[in-house]
Amino acid sequence: MAGGIASENPHPPAQHAWWPAALTIAGADSSGAAGLAADLLAFAACGVHGAFALTLVSAQNTTEFRAAQPVDAELVAAQIHAVLDDMPVAASKTGLLLTAETVAAVASIAARRLPQLVVDPVLVDGAGEPMLSSEAERSIATRLLPNARVVTPNHLEAGRLVGRNLGDEVEAWIEAAHELASTGPEAVVVTGGRVRTGETITDVVVQGGSVRLLSAPRIETRNIRGSGDVFSAAICAELAKGTDLDSAIDRAHDLTARAISAGADRLLGSGRGPVDPLSL
């Protein structure tokens, strides 16, 4: 009927185009700049459908983190199973898990059915202060990382995972990345965006015993919220599309650098604004 609601096609085509899907297990940032929101934007920028399991609801903006309420671990697990039972998810990732119970629940599922898991171990806030209990941190290190294909801590988080302060020296990051890789991940990327000095930003990639460095010019901007989420989500999305691991990391690194550049001069909020992975 003209102008009416289209009815279901009684004769659908025999073949349909494959739409790659990825799953993020992360928290909601009420400012829309980081966490789940940034992951879904990065998935979209890479042409991948984004499904999610919500781990927490937060009250935050560009200047402060005011409060957070975790989602019950059983409900987090139920969300994951609901998606995996129906969609051909080709890659997955974690963000802020917040509680030891949620980490344990996700790790249990990861051991059995989370495909090509990218772990972004969100352990510290914007000021570098711990966000998780020591029990939750230990569980990430001992239970979640062994089931990951890729781990993407910043240098502060990598230090917490190996139990020592790494400082700003790349050699210390490389040593820590080797230690983390020995627990099971195929690749570990220690990101250097939290280092505030120098003309370039350097990330360390350890994979299969080899080391390579990824560098990009430093962009003078306060708008960096969500950059780590975008990086790990872009790796996840590329893996979902069938991209090889080296190329997935390289493409994610390039996308993140361009997303920071795209959002560098925007005015949104009175604090650290978001990066912009969609204006590419």
Side-chain angles (χ1 to χ4, degrees):
M1 178 183 299
I5 299 174
S7 62
E8 184 176 334
N9 186 350
H11 303 291
Q15 294 183 340
H16 299 273
W18 178 65
W19 192 0
L23 168 67
T24 178
I25 306 164
D29 168 8
S30 55
S31 75
L36 180 67
D39 290 343
L40 294 180
L41 287 173
F43 287 171
C46 295
V48 169
H49 173 75
F52 67 85
L54 184 66
T55 61
L56 65 116
V57 177
S58 70
Q60 57 180 303
N61 54 37
T62 63
T63 63
E64 60 182 331
F65 191 107
R66 295 184 179 179
Q69 177 66 50
V71 174
D72 183 83
E74 290 187 3
L75 182 54
V76 174
Q79 294 175 78
I80 297 170
H81 287 305
V83 172
L84 295 179
D85 288 346
D86 179 58
M87 291 183 172
V89 171
S92 55
K93 68 151 291 190
T94 60
L96 180 56
L97 301 180
L98 195 61
T99 70
E101 292 78 12
T102 297
V103 175
V106 173
S108 177
I109 300 171
R112 295 178 284 117
R113 62 183 313 206
L114 281 179
Q116 300 198 93
L117 178 61
V118 179
V119 172
D120 181 4
V122 182
L123 306 181
V124 299
D125 63 16
E129 296 299 317
M131 299 183 70
L132 276 64
S133 68
S134 57
E135 179 186 359
E137 284 193 1
R138 284 194 302 272
S139 189
I140 287 175
T142 60
R143 298 190 59 187
L144 195 57
L145 263 59
N147 293 298
R149 187 175 185 195
V150 187
V151 182
T152 63
N154 61 48
H155 78 288
L156 301 176
E157 292 160 340
R160 296 193 69 84
L161 289 170
V162 298
R164 62 182 181 276
N165 188 334
L166 301 180
D168 296 346
E169 298 300 322
V170 170
E171 290 77 11
W173 303 359
I174 293 172
E175 183 178 352
H178 278 296
E179 289 183 37
L180 295 175
S182 70
T183 67
E186 184 176 342
V188 175
V189 186
V190 178
T191 61
R194 288 296 190 97
V195 177
R196 305 304 187 193
T197 59
E199 296 182 356
T200 61
I201 295 174
T202 300
D203 298 340
V204 168
V205 183
V206 167
Q207 180 181 354
S210 65
V211 178
R212 59 193 182 100
L213 303 181
L214 302 178
S215 296
R218 179 179 300 279
I219 298 170
E220 292 302 326
T221 178
R222 67 181 183 179
N223 297 336
I224 57 172
R225 281 177 63 82
S227 54
D229 306 291
V230 166
F231 177 62
S232 57
I235 294 174
C236 179
E238 289 295 333
L239 292 177
K241 289 158 57 176
T243 305
D244 67 86
L245 184 52
D246 272 349
S247 298
I249 293 170
D250 290 345
R251 291 180 186 180
H253 182 266
D254 182 58
L255 184 148
T256 305
R258 289 184 286 128
I260 294 171
S261 179
D265 296 326
R266 305 270 178 88
L267 294 177
L268 186 62
S270 55
R272 295 187 306 142
V275 301
D276 187 0
L278 287 181
S279 65
L280 304 176

